[in-house]
């Protein structure tokens, strides 16, 4: 787990999460959540009951929508304030879980058919590698992984960590956050390196911002163990 991920979690725990929840109350981004909900629903097989786990669910909007539609979904986070917010929204299956440190099987007891990691830009390349391994091991055969990454193409000003991660450590201009936050940016080549041997690409597109390219969005399918070895 990188020092930046740790610092970000500390920042959220020491007031940043309340600030995040407050911004969300002012601008609930309803259309964006509906779009994501439909994207997830369309990716899922229609003919079987699936177990869904969302990593880093924050306020829990997506998990709440999935639960409301009858899906078996568990929302998670590592920050207590976010877990309380998820409870307040009525989510019934909630786990405190740090996907970079905690043992998946101990926390969840069984594998998932879909794992979602949405808008978690606070991970450098090494943290991402770990996340991909954890998701691979946490999924049933043919399980799906939905993830988005901030696009390095729209951040030419970014600095570079020794491990090659493009990043900023900054106050958000549009939201005027009190503390700096770590934002990592990824290229298509970075994503290719992360997913090869582990996942096949089911769907890929860009979205967000004026030019609809702020984020890479992917649905991935777990490749067989043979491909991994
Ligand atoms: C920018 S917020 C996004 C929350 C939500 N997914 C959304 O789209 O609004 C990032 C979330 O990831 C969580 N997070 C960051 N690092 C984590 C880790 N190592 N394990 C679990 N959650 C983590 C944070 O606590 C926070 O809730």
């Amino acid at each position: 787990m990188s020092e930046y991920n740790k610092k970000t979690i500390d920042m959220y725990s020491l007031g940043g999460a309340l600030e995040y929840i407050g911004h969300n109350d002012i601008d609930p981004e309803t259309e964006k959540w509906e779009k994501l909900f439909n994207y997830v629903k369309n990716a899922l097989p229609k003919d079987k009951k699936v177990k869904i786990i969302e990593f880093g669910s924050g306020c829990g909007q997506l998990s709440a929508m999935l639960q409301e539609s009858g899906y078996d979904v568990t929302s998670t986070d590592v920050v207590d304030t976010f877990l309380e917010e998820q409870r307040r929204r009525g989510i019934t299956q909630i786990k405190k879980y740090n996907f970079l440190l905690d043992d998946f099987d101990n926390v969840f007891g069984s594998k998932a058919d879909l794992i979602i990691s949405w808008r978690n830009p606070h991970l450098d390349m090494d943290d991402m590698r770990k996340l991909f391994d954890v998701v691979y091991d946490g999924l049933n055969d043919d399980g799906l992984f939905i993830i988005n990454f901030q696009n390095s193409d729209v951040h030419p000003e970014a600095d570079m960590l020794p491990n090659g991660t493009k990043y900023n450590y900054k106050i958000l201009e549009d939201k005027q956050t009190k503390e700096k936050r770590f934002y990592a940016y990824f290229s298509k080549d970075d994503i290719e390196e992360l997913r090869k041997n582990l996942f096949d690409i089911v769907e890929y597109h860009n979205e967000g911002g004026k030019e609809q390219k702020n984020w890479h969005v992917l649905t991935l399918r777990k490749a067989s163990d043979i491909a991994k070895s």
Side-chain angles (χ1 to χ4, degrees), residues 1 5 8-9 12 20 24 29 33 36 54-61 76-79 82 86 97-101 117-123 181 183:
M1 182 181 175
N5 189 247
T8 304
I9 291 170
Y12 278 127
Y20 194 89
N24 180 69
E29 301 186 313
W33 289 113
L36 174 60
E54 187 185 9
F55 286 3
S57 314
C59 304
Q61 295 95 325
T76 70
D77 212 279
V78 65
V79 174
F82 281 129
Q86 293 169 23
Y97 174 62
N98 183 329
F99 51 74
L100 298 177
L101 294 181
S117 171
W118 194 252
R119 253 183 0 185
N120 195 340
H122 315 303
L123 308 172
R181 291 171 194 202
Y183 292 97

Side-chain angles (χ1 to χ4, degrees), residues 89-101:
R89 278 175 191 268
I91 299 174
T92 51
Q93 301 190 91
I94 299 173
K95 297 277 185 194
K96 182 163 185 169
Y97 174 62
N98 183 329
F99 51 74
L100 298 177
L101 294 181

Side-chain angles (χ1 to χ4, degrees), residues 151-176:
N151 185 355
S152 58
D153 289 351
V154 289
H155 290 281
E157 82 296 352
D159 289 322
M160 177 116 56
L161 291 177
N163 70 5
T165 312
K166 288 204 172 152
Y167 80 105
N168 280 312
Y169 191 54
K170 65 176 183 187
I171 303 278
L172 271 189
E173 278 139 36
D174 56 340
K175 300 213 164 93
Q176 285 299 313

